Amino acid sequence: MSLSVPRLRIGSTEIIALADGEGPFFSPRAEAFPEATAAQWAEADRYDPGAVDAEGRWRLQFRAYAIRADQGITVVDAGIGPADSPAGSWAPVPGVLPESFAAAGIDPAEVDTVVLTHLHTDHVGWAVVTEAAVPSAAGVLDGNASTASATSGRRPFFPNAEYLLQRAEFDVIDTLNPQLHETLTDPLAAAGRLRLLDGDTPLRAGRAVATPGHTPGHQSVLVADGHDMALVTGDLLVHALQLLNPELAYAHEADPEAARHSRERMLGRETAGTLHLATPHLTEPFVSA
Ligand SMILES: [Zn+2]
């Protein structure tokens, strides 16, 4: 895959798309969106022809975003991860996010904030890594050696960042994926890097917005400047079907009703300008609502 670095400017803030991988979905796409009609599929395929492959499978992108503002660098989501990542059970690991950061000219050590939209494995892959997974980055370990050994050699990939997760998401780890205590939140907490949010919260760049439904504590990031707005969606929508038809459920939403409500609320937002969307899974890194 190519490592071009698409960017969107909102006022003085820059949103940078960071590719991590691409590959087919693990089940037939009709099962993923059981309510979609043939006409809706046809419309979605015209809108995003790259999201279906020659065998008729859903083809997904997996990407993260960086938001570069005067006040620092925020990263939204952490991709599918390295070869030993839990997402490897279905996603095309190893991802190439470290190379994408290099192509964008961003050192992970510069990142001061990481917003995890939710705890599915394809969004937290690089958040915490093992030394074995990223040996070349061992130099950034510095003073964290004791922390790393206390948590089975795992360390935050962004060594100087605070990681933000909604408390409503943290509270359901046992339901979502109990393994994440050991592989994600315990190492972050041990390093003093985990901060739990209660709903909408101002960030250095933009604001975290609670968008529950896909998972109980799902969140998105809204960046606004005058009339221009961008929403880094996370999995608020996962396919063009849900952009064109926000009412359509995705089969793996924890609460389809809440997910639909979050989608309709965010996509139907009144704005005098353009609402740009930065989505992890659509073919184009930036689309308009
Ligand atoms: Zn996802």
Side-chain angles (χ1 to χ4, degrees):
M1 61 188 301
S2 81
L3 286 179
S4 69
V5 183
R7 297 162 195 262
L8 172 72
R9 188 166 277 286
I10 300 289
S12 61
T13 301
E14 191 174 45
I15 302 180
I16 303 159
L18 301 161
D20 195 28
E22 60 182 19
F25 194 59
F26 55 78
S27 70
R29 65 180 197 156
E31 288 175 12
F33 304 94
E35 301 159 8
T37 66
Q40 288 170 330
W41 276 115
E43 185 192 21
D45 287 344
R46 275 194 302 275
Y47 186 93
D48 187 357
V52 60
D53 70 12
E55 286 80 51
R57 295 177 298 183
W58 177 15
R59 186 166 183 82
L60 297 90
Q61 305 299 311
F62 298 92
R63 62 170 81 86
Y65 290 88
I67 304 172
R68 194 203 292 267
D70 304 336
Q71 306 88 337
I73 300 177
T74 296
V75 165
V76 184
D77 279 343
I80 56 180
D84 65 354
S85 156
S89 63
W90 68 280
V93 299
V96 296
L97 198 62
E99 290 92 327
S100 289
F101 270 99
I106 299 173
D107 180 341
E110 292 178 84
V111 174
D112 54 67
T113 307
V114 175
V115 176
L116 299 176
T117 63
H118 66 296
L119 292 178
H120 284 160
T121 52
D122 59 320
H123 294 259
V124 300
W126 293 97
V128 170
V129 293
T130 60
E131 291 309 323
V134 196
S136 61
V140 300
L141 193 60
D142 291 335
N144 288 341
S146 57
T147 301
S149 62
T151 52
S152 350
R154 292 187 170 90
R155 62 172 177 82
F157 181 73
F158 304 97
N160 300 311
E162 183 173 52
Y163 286 66
L164 310 183
L165 184 65
Q166 288 287 328
R167 189 182 310 276
E169 190 79 354
F170 180 79
D171 286 347
V172 296
I173 289 179
D174 289 327
T175 316
L176 289 169
N177 182 354
Q179 193 191 6
L180 288 173
H181 287 294
E182 187 192 335
T183 59
L184 181 71
T185 54
D186 286 357
L188 287 178
R193 297 292 175 186
L194 182 63
R195 182 175 146 213
L196 300 180
L197 307 182
D198 294 295
D200 294 9
T201 304
L203 305 173
R204 285 186 179 155
R207 62 191 285 113
V209 181
T211 48
H214 182 78
T215 56
H218 190 279
Q219 62 183 338
S220 307
V221 176
L222 189 64
V223 176
D225 183 285
H227 289 333
D228 258 350
M229 247 188 246
L231 184 68
V232 186
T233 62
D235 281 356
L236 178 69
L237 59 128
V238 299
H239 190 279
L241 274 174
Q242 292 184 303
L243 172 60
L244 301 169
N245 312 277
E247 75 281 7
L248 277 184
Y250 165 54
H252 301 279
E253 286 163 351
D255 182 342
E257 197 58 22
R260 178 165 62 86
H261 182 255
S262 288
R263 228 168 8 253
E264 290 178 340
R265 181 169 58 89
M266 298 309 293
L267 299 183
R269 235 181 146 81
E270 288 292 320
T271 167
T274 305
L275 173 59
H276 302 275
L277 302 176
T279 75
H281 298 308
L282 270 58
T283 306
E284 295 298 327
F286 300 106
V287 298
S288 296

